[in-house]
Amino acid sequence: MASREQPLSASGNDARPHINASPRSESGLLPKDVSLSVNYLPTKFATGLLSPAPRRRKGQADSELPKRGGGREAFKSGEARMPEEGDEDYDGVTGAWFGGKEGGHTRPRMRWNKFKWALFVANIFLSIYALTGLIFCLLTWFDVFEHADIVRVGNRTELILSTVAAALATVVSVLGWAGILLNNRSFLAVYSFLLWICFAILVTPGYITYKQRTFNLEGKINSQWSRILGAEGRLRIQNRLHCCGYFSPFVEATVSQTCYARSVLPGCKAAYLDFEKNVLEIWYTIAFSLVPLQIAIMVTGLLCSNHITYRFGKGMMPKAYRLSMNSMAVIMDNYASQLAGQYGSDVASEILARSRSNLHVDSMGYIVPSATSTTAGSSGGRHEYRPEVM
């Protein structure tokens, strides 16, 4: 009886492998992350795995095997790539800083595309105005400016909202830097969403200050002085504006060393009203002037956050869908059991023994290390399983 080599898939339609719906549960020998699925579409594989002569790419020499590993060229548009052993460095998060590999080996620097540069410039503007606003708000809270205490008393709500907006924008800008430098689209997705919240909180103090100044500011000041400020609030405003009482020392005044019945200091209404007009106008002008910049940053984040590299991740097939040597051994066991029903158990046992010998796997279905298997594993990743059929 002559023997000749032929692929397992070439024995006819009756000999095609029919894997059960859940072979993983039947084997019980493989880790949970090993896939036994073989229902791949040819378009899911790189061109080098489908044809003996892969198509030539621009700027790339002909090669019999698909490209393996990372590097700068792995991020080109349309670049096909196969993973190396233990290569799980997706988006640079699990590696060293800025997406580099851990250890002494350093890769060439990756070139930034125009989308990443756009995000970089937009986040610079966000960081500048967020830090500037946060610094001014903190200096106001710490009473560094001459009239900062008046703002803390008379415009406390607006100051709180502005501080929250500046602090949130600062945090979002830091998140944006993390996403840009690490090429992490998850960070940038959250970054793009939080930009809308920053926009809402940014326009809120601007709207409040505009509404307060435009519609009956004098009446609001009258009500605030008599009902809201209290004795302590009126005293702080009197000390900073060097005035006494609202109209005069005899009308809603808080007695102090400079404010008493015979004080020559003027009333606080005119000075306080002028101060509020100037402060509120500056406040909403700054807030509304940042709206076009914030909208531009939001649009940039939406359009560019998914294009910081020319492809998602590294172009590798997900680990759950990779066909490893261990999973191939189980698939061949299932196929041998079908051959046993067709050709007999003796022929199936011989085929199985020869296949395991060629694949360097033991009877439990795990890879047995050897010099031949090491050479085959480093040769590029294309395996042809050709057991002998008697």
Side-chain angles (χ1 to χ4, degrees):
M1 180 180 296
S3 62
R4 60 185 181 88
E5 292 186 356
Q6 66 183 98
L8 287 177
S9 60
S11 59
N13 297 330
D14 295 335
R16 294 177 60 188
H18 300 281
I19 306 302
N20 296 331
S22 58
R24 184 180 303 172
S25 60
E26 294 183 0
S27 62
L29 301 176
L30 297 177
K32 294 182 179 180
D33 58 348
V34 175
S35 174
L36 299 181
S37 301
V38 293
N39 54 339
Y40 296 122
L41 295 176
T43 56
K44 292 183 178 180
F45 290 100
T47 308
L49 297 179
L50 302 177
S51 60
R55 62 188 179 92
R56 181 184 179 91
R57 298 181 182 277
K58 183 178 180 180
Q60 180 178 350
D62 290 332
S63 176
E64 296 181 357
L65 298 175
K67 177 180 175 63
R68 297 180 67 86
R72 183 174 56 202
E73 291 77 10
F75 291 86
K76 293 193 300 186
S77 179
E79 180 71 14
R81 179 174 176 270
M82 293 297 292
E84 289 180 335
E85 183 69 23
D87 191 352
E88 300 297 334
D89 185 15
Y90 287 101
D91 290 334
V93 177
T94 58
W97 287 101
F98 308 113
K101 290 184 178 179
E102 297 179 349
H105 179 67
T106 57
R107 296 181 298 179
R109 291 185 178 180
M110 299 178 185
R111 299 186 183 95
W112 286 18
N113 56 29
K114 57 185 178 181
F115 302 104
K116 192 170 183 178
W117 277 113
L119 277 175
F120 180 79
V121 174
N123 205 51
I124 284 180
F125 284 107
L126 178 63
S127 302
I128 290 175
Y129 94 73
L131 288 175
T132 304
L134 183 60
I135 290 173
F136 271 94
C137 290
L138 292 178
L139 293 178
T140 303
W141 283 112
F142 296 150
D143 198 13
V144 176
F145 304 119
E146 181 181 0
H147 296 144
D149 201 27
I150 304 177
V151 177
R152 295 194 302 169
V153 175
N155 307 99
R156 190 176 184 86
T157 302
E158 296 88 339
L159 183 59
I160 292 175
L161 291 175
S162 298
T163 305
V164 171
L168 180 61
T170 303
V171 174
V172 172
S173 66
V174 173
L175 181 63
W177 289 124
I180 292 171
L181 296 178
L182 294 177
N183 295 330
N184 191 293
R185 290 180 172 86
S186 300
F187 286 178
L188 292 177
V190 179
Y191 167 77
S192 301
F193 172 74
L194 292 179
L195 287 177
W196 290 83
I197 300 179
C198 291
F199 175 75
I201 302 179
L202 172 66
V203 299
T204 300
Y207 171 75
I208 293 176
T209 53
Y210 174 79
K211 182 179 178 181
Q212 184 174 354
R213 187 187 186 280
T214 306
F215 303 104
N216 193 19
L217 176 60
E218 183 178 358
K220 295 174 183 177
I221 294 296
N222 295 338
S223 176
Q224 184 188 47
W225 187 275
S226 60
R227 300 181 181 180
I228 300 175
L229 293 179
E232 183 181 358
R234 290 195 291 264
L235 177 61
R236 292 163 65 178
I237 294 177
Q238 289 176 171
N239 293 337
R240 292 307 176 98
L241 293 179
H242 305 287
C243 56
C244 182
Y246 193 55
F247 294 102
S248 65
F250 301 100
V251 180
E252 295 181 333
T254 300
V255 179
S256 65
Q257 295 180 353
T258 58
C259 182
Y260 45 89
R262 295 185 178 181
S263 176
V264 295
L265 294 177
C268 295
K269 178 180 179 179
Y272 185 46
L273 183 60
D274 292 339
F275 176 81
E276 284 294 308
K277 285 182 178 179
N278 295 331
V279 168
L280 294 176
E281 184 178 4
I282 294 173
W283 209 316
Y284 72 72
T285 300
I286 294 176
F288 289 153
S289 63
L290 292 175
V291 168
L293 177 60
Q294 180 67 21
I295 292 177
I297 296 172
M298 292 159 52
V299 172
T300 303
L302 289 175
L303 296 180
C304 302
S305 60
N306 276 338
H307 304 283
I308 49 175
T309 56
Y310 284 111
R311 65 183 306 140
F312 286 94
K314 293 184 176 179
M316 294 189 298
M317 181 180 295
K319 186 176 182 180
Y321 298 99
R322 299 176 192 170
L323 196 61
S324 64
M325 298 287 287
N326 293 332
S327 58
M328 189 62 194
V330 177
I331 292 175
M332 292 182 66
D333 285 344
N334 295 334
Y335 185 48
S337 64
Q338 297 179 17
L339 290 178
Q342 183 175 0
Y343 298 105
S345 59
D346 295 337
V347 176
S349 300
E350 185 178 357
I351 293 174
L352 184 60
R354 293 180 180 180
S355 299
R356 282 174 175 166
S357 177
N358 293 334
L359 294 177
H360 304 284
V361 296
D362 57 11
S363 60
M364 296 299 292
Y366 293 101
I367 297 176
V368 177
S370 63
T372 307
S373 62
T374 304
T375 305
S378 61
S379 63
R382 180 182 297 180
H383 304 279
E384 292 183 359
Y385 309 103
R386 299 177 178 271
E388 295 183 357
V389 180
M390 300 300 293

